[in-house]
């Protein structure tokens, strides 16, 4: 875990209330892996008091040439509203990389990624890394309420990946829930070796249940309110799976869990 004063390299609005922010933090970027996150102090003032957690969307640069990390975020409250008003050249206090990310053994040859809305913020980095493996097939399920919720679709297609898009109002892709599309694919197609998922809790619960029903290992990245990001505040507790006592914590035990480890 590193603490860096990271200069903002760029700030781009890509959808209503959705932004990409590039941060110059080479040491942090060099240590990062898909599924990890950072804690950002969005203002030098005491309002807001606490840092905000953000998935590492992707590194900026490749290999030893990594210059920093990119965040994909949506304005949902005071902290992200402040972030959206910052300009290139300004500096943010960043802590990371934090948490445990996704794991995908070299023996795996077929994976499905299921991203609901802003869940693609975490899974995009994973998709980029997996696309570098020879012989590995990826299928991406992108879902949202409307077209405005479908992010990174063009970039993922440009990587040559198989993309299936669903929206509840049918403004982009097929009409319906992303979990319905996943269910049909699990019933009718060759099963993947592993499913990776990130999105709203209700979606993750359904994805985990479908994966268990079909015997497919599933990893999911959870979101939670955090005050610290490294296990001190204990505010991001999640129940262990049925039959196991106690809790796990999203910041230190996750944010990526085996679907069988947690009860949502």
């Amino acid at each position: 875990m590193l603490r860096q004063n990271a200069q903002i390299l760029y700030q781009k609005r890509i959808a209503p209330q959705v932004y990409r922010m590039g941060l110059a933090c080479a040491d942090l970027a060099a240590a990062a892996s898909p599924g990890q996150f950072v804690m950002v102090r969005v203002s030098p003032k005491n309002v807001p008091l606490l840092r905000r957690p953000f998935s590492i969307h992707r590194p900026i640069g490749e290999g030893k040439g990594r210059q920093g990390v990119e965040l994909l975020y949506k304005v949902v409250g005071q902290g992200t509203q402040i972030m959206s008003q910052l300009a290139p050249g300004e500096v943010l206090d960043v802590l990371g990389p934090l948490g445990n990310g996704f794991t995908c053994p070299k023996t795996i040859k077929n994976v499905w990624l299921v991203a609901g809305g802003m869940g693609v913020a975490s899974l995009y980095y994973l998709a980029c890394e997996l696309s570098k493996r020879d012989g590995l097939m990826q299928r991406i399920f992108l879902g949202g309420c409307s077209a405005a919720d479908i992010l990174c679709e063009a970039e993922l297609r440009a990587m040559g990946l198989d993309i299936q898009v669903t929206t509840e109002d049918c403004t982009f892709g097929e009409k319906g829930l992303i979990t319905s599309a996943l269910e049909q694919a699990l019933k009718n197609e060759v099963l993947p070796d592993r499913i990776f998922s990130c999105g709203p809790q209700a979606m993750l619960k359904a994805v985990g249940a479908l994966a268990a029903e079909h015997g497919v290992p599933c990893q999911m990245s959870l979101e939670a309110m955090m005050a610290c990001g490294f296990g001190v505040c204990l505010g991001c507790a999640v129940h262990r799976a049925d039959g196991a006592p106690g809790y796990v914590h999203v910041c230190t035990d996750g944010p990526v869990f085996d679907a069988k480890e947690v009860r949502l």
Side-chain angles (χ1 to χ4, degrees):
M1 178 177 67
L2 301 168
R3 181 179 178 182
Q4 292 192 254
N5 289 321
Q7 187 178 62
I8 299 173
L9 298 173
Y10 55 83
Q11 169 96 285
K12 301 176 183 177
R13 180 178 177 272
I14 64 167
Q17 300 299 304
V18 179
Y19 294 80
R20 280 195 174 108
M21 176 183 282
L23 297 173
C25 46
D27 292 341
L28 190 156
S33 61
Q36 290 188 295
F37 67 99
V38 294
M39 296 291 291
V40 179
R41 186 177 296 282
V42 301
S43 171
K45 301 177 181 179
N46 289 331
V47 180
L49 178 62
L50 302 176
R51 295 175 183 265
R52 297 295 191 267
F54 297 96
S55 296
I56 298 174
H57 185 51
R58 70 175 183 94
I60 301 171
E62 293 289 336
K64 295 182 180 180
R66 289 186 178 183
Q67 305 169 10
V69 297
E70 183 176 275
L71 308 181
L72 178 69
Y73 70 95
K74 185 174 185 178
V75 176
V76 295
Q78 183 185 42
T80 45
Q81 179 64 42
I82 291 172
M83 276 185 63
S84 71
Q85 297 171 356
L86 300 176
E90 297 190 67
V91 174
L92 292 173
D93 183 341
V94 182
L95 194 66
L98 297 164
N100 296 302
F102 296 103
T103 57
C104 187
K106 298 292 185 180
T107 54
I108 286 179
K109 297 300 181 183
N110 182 16
V111 298
W112 291 359
L113 279 60
V114 185
M118 289 301 298
V120 75
S122 175
L123 289 175
Y124 183 79
Y125 185 3
L126 177 64
C128 291
E129 291 299 301
L130 294 181
S131 69
K132 300 173 185 177
R133 294 192 189 182
D134 292 334
L136 187 144
M137 295 185 296
Q138 287 191 75
R139 183 171 182 181
I140 317 290
F141 295 81
L142 296 177
C145 294
S146 67
D149 299 314
I150 305 301
L151 305 170
C152 304
E153 186 265 350
E155 293 95 327
L156 291 166
R157 283 199 192 279
M159 292 162 57
L161 301 180
D162 180 11
I163 313 293
Q164 183 168 353
V165 178
T166 61
T167 52
E168 295 177 40
D169 64 359
C170 201
T171 51
F172 191 1
E174 301 174 13
K175 179 177 175 60
L177 297 173
I178 189 173
T179 47
S180 297
L182 176 64
E183 182 177 20
Q184 289 302 309
L186 288 168
K187 287 180 178 179
N188 300 320
E189 301 178 24
V190 176
L191 295 176
D193 299 317
R194 185 162 297 184
I195 293 173
F196 300 98
S197 185
C198 186
Q201 183 169 307
M203 186 207 83
L204 292 178
K205 184 176 181 178
V207 170
L210 287 169
E213 179 183 344
H214 292 271
V216 180
C218 177
Q219 292 181 11
M220 54 179 61
S221 179
L222 304 188
E223 297 180 351
M225 296 298 294
M226 299 180 191
C228 68
F230 47 87
V232 175
C233 71
L234 305 181
C236 57
V238 177
H239 285 283
R240 292 184 185 274
D242 293 341
Y247 298 84
V248 291
H249 293 91
V250 174
C251 66
T252 53
D253 299 309
V256 177
F257 294 92
D258 186 296
K260 295 180 179 179
E261 293 178 345
V262 293
R263 175 162 55 91
L264 300 178

